[in-house]
Amino acid sequence: MKPIRLPEPPSSPTVSGGLPDIFEGSVYGVIRRAVVIGNGFPASENQSLGLVRALGLSDKQTFYRVTRPIGGVNEWLHWLPVSIHNKLYYIIITLYRYSQFIFAGRSKRILSIRAENGGSTGLSSILEADVRNIVNMARDDFEKDGPLLVVASGRDTISTASAIKRLASEKVFVIQIQHPRSHLDRFDMVITPHHDYYPLTPQAQEQVPRFLRRWITPRDPPDNHVVLTLGSLHQIDSTSLRNAAITWHDEFASIPKPLLVVNIGGPTGHCRYGLDLAKQLVASLHNVLVGCGSVRISFSKRTPKKISSFIIKDLGNHPKVFIWDGQGPNPHMGDLAWADSFIISADSVSMLSEACSTGKPVYVIGGERCKWKFTEFHKSLRDRGLVRPFTGLEDMSESWSYPPLNDTADAAHKVHEELAKRGWKIRP
């Protein structure tokens, strides 16, 4: 089998002969810094961080986060735009405190209503996203540091990123990752998976009643400032895998080969499953264990307790199986670097995208339970030869390969091209 060439992080364009920027063009057209706007969800924030890393600006980024109140009644308000949710929460908490004062603690039920800026997730060290502060930074530092690159991902970041673009359009380049659904001209670039445009396909139109079609987004095909990817962006490339292989050497080097890594997410609106899938996975794993040297299993924060408990009960004492208990350093990077093959649950676009960037065999379980745009995503992966369904009949000692998925590097290249049209460039 031919060796697999893993994707390298793209390098920024350099000036011919190493001349200072002033000899090639305006010093105000060189981007040396980035702002990342997150929403508190690792899978979403990882996309922005991955793109900034691929552009060579990881060491010169400032991280901001748009946050919502959490707990209690707030769990029912997540469908609201974040600005409205925050205002409504302020009203609710004010009324709650007033009722406590009047009734002296008779409403203890509502005590779970709270607003946290990250707390256990470390948000105390992350700046709260403030449009005015970011705009002032772009304006005040423009002559010294040039334009500001702004990268945001997720629904809750849309209003913040678009406001920055509107108020400082000549001094920023704003990239929105994940489809904002409407008014794409609010951003300089939109990076989104191809399957986000599934609603425009004939098969999708057939699934939606005619009177509802005008409300399904997106309504228009991608224009020239939309960059389409197959999966999600991330921080995995040959450099990060090599570093992870070194970092995790002591723990993984002695593990019997071949090593099968199993990553399990959780059911979503488009990929519904329950304990039945866990039983299918366990039965299939028992079938392939004979061809494995070892198996490592990890769960995500979305994995329902009943699913993880069932798998742990059945496989937790098997001599070939190691199940990460969530304690200590997360071995995810070590798993990616040292695994010989993967089994990934169909619900996670991010886990599948990362695994497919290694060029190693990736098997999907639960793909037949997915619908809507996830069907398009899985079909695209299969058509490219990146994944195969996990049946339990595989011989894990056999291997196969494919050109690694390279979405992040490809997207970074598109950013360089778009900046060049403006006469700008990135210089870390």
Side-chain angles (χ1 to χ4, degrees):
M1 183 173 63
K2 293 182 179 180
I4 299 168
R5 183 177 178 83
L6 293 169
E8 295 282 354
S11 58
S12 300
T14 56
V15 180
S16 177
L19 295 176
D21 297 327
I22 193 170
F23 292 107
E24 193 181 26
S26 171
V27 291
Y28 304 132
V30 179
I31 295 177
R32 300 182 179 87
R33 57 203 173 121
V35 159
V36 173
I37 303 175
N39 61 356
F41 292 93
S44 179
E45 294 179 347
N46 190 44
Q47 297 198 61
S48 297
L49 295 171
L51 180 62
V52 171
R53 180 181 184 276
L55 292 169
L57 294 174
S58 289
D59 293 335
K60 299 177 181 178
Q61 68 181 12
T62 306
F63 196 101
Y64 293 84
R65 183 173 284 165
V66 176
T67 58
R68 288 177 179 267
I70 62 173
V73 72
N74 292 295
E75 303 306 318
W76 297 91
L77 302 178
H78 275 207
W79 58 273
L80 292 170
V82 65
S83 58
I84 297 177
H85 184 176
N86 283 327
K87 291 175 183 177
L88 184 58
Y89 169 78
Y90 176 78
I91 295 172
I92 292 173
I93 202 66
T94 300
L95 292 175
Y96 165 65
R97 288 169 178 165
Y98 180 73
S99 70
Q100 274 195 314
F101 175 76
I102 297 297
F103 299 106
R106 297 170 72 183
S107 301
K108 292 182 179 179
R109 264 190 337 167
I110 319 177
L111 284 175
S112 60
I113 301 177
R114 66 192 186 278
E116 293 184 0
N117 268 351
S120 61
T121 61
L123 188 59
S124 58
S125 62
I126 298 174
L127 300 173
E128 178 71 25
D130 183 280
V131 171
R132 188 174 299 278
N133 286 344
I134 297 173
V135 168
N136 287 341
M137 178 175 66
R139 290 172 175 169
D140 296 345
D141 298 340
F142 180 74
E143 292 191 6
K144 180 181 70 171
D145 296 322
L148 179 67
L149 179 71
V150 178
V151 183
S153 180
R155 178 170 65 97
D156 286 349
T157 68
I158 290 173
S159 59
T160 300
S162 61
I164 294 169
K165 166 66 177 173
R166 175 170 48 85
L167 296 172
S169 60
E170 298 302 316
K171 295 177 173 59
V172 296
F173 189 87
V174 178
I175 301 172
Q176 185 69 34
I177 301 175
Q178 298 181 336
H179 203 291
R181 300 306 175 201
S182 62
H183 304 295
L184 273 60
D185 56 353
R186 292 175 290 173
F187 313 96
D188 293 296
M189 178 178 286
V190 172
I191 301 176
T192 191
H194 189 274
H195 61 259
D196 271 355
Y197 283 91
Y198 177 75
L200 297 181
T201 63
Q203 56 268 39
Q205 293 290 308
E206 292 176 0
Q207 299 177 47
V208 180
R210 186 175 297 275
F211 72 93
L212 289 178
R213 290 177 187 173
R214 60 174 297 188
W215 304 105
I216 301 297
T217 58
R219 302 186 188 93
D220 301 311
D223 59 24
N224 56 9
H225 76 300
V226 175
V227 174
L228 296 178
T229 62
L230 196 161
S232 61
L233 307 187
H234 50 74
Q235 302 188 64
I236 308 303
D237 56 31
S238 60
T239 300
S240 63
L241 290 174
R242 280 195 295 267
N243 291 339
I246 296 170
T247 301
W248 290 92
H249 176 274
D250 292 345
E251 182 167 338
F252 282 80
S254 60
I255 292 177
K257 293 282 194 171
L259 168 60
L260 171 63
V261 168
V262 183
N263 289 330
I264 304 167
T268 67
H270 295 310
C271 286
R272 296 186 182 277
Y273 59 85
L275 198 56
D276 55 338
L277 187 67
K279 293 178 179 178
Q280 176 188 334
L281 172 63
V282 165
S284 297
L285 282 175
H286 278 294
N287 289 339
V288 302
L289 272 170
V290 65
C292 297
S294 51
V295 176
R296 292 176 61 90
I297 302 176
S298 294
F299 306 105
S300 78
K301 292 181 179 180
R302 296 187 298 105
T303 308
K305 184 69 174 178
K306 62 180 180 181
I307 291 179
S308 59
S309 296
F310 177 82
I311 294 173
I312 291 171
K313 181 179 179 181
D314 192 283
L315 293 170
N317 293 321
H318 195 288
K320 286 188 176 183
V321 177
F322 170 83
I323 301 178
W324 184 52
D325 60 5
Q327 303 300 311
N330 190 329
H332 179 61
M333 288 300 300
D335 287 341
L336 288 171
W338 284 89
D340 294 294
S341 56
F342 302 91
I343 296 173
I344 312 287
S345 60
D347 57 273
S348 180
V349 175
S350 58
M351 288 194 299
L352 283 166
S353 300
E354 289 181 343
C356 289
S357 72
T358 67
K360 302 172 185 178
V362 178
Y363 298 94
V364 179
I365 185 164
E368 71 282 356
R369 301 163 192 257
C370 296
K371 60 182 182 179
W372 195 237
K373 65 181 182 179
F374 269 60
T375 60
E376 183 74 11
F377 171 60
H378 287 288
K379 181 179 183 300
S380 297
L381 292 178
R382 292 192 303 270
D383 289 348
R384 286 268 298 268
L386 304 176
V387 304
R388 297 176 183 178
F390 180 56
T391 65
L393 302 176
E394 293 79 7
D395 181 355
M396 290 301 171
S397 64
E398 296 181 357
S399 187
W400 47 277
S401 63
Y402 49 85
L405 187 61
N406 207 11
D407 280 335
T408 308
D410 292 342
H413 181 71
K414 293 291 186 182
V415 173
H416 283 299
E417 288 184 342
E418 195 62 30
L419 288 172
K421 295 177 183 177
R422 188 180 289 196
W424 290 4
K425 61 186 174 185
I426 293 177
R427 178 67 55 79

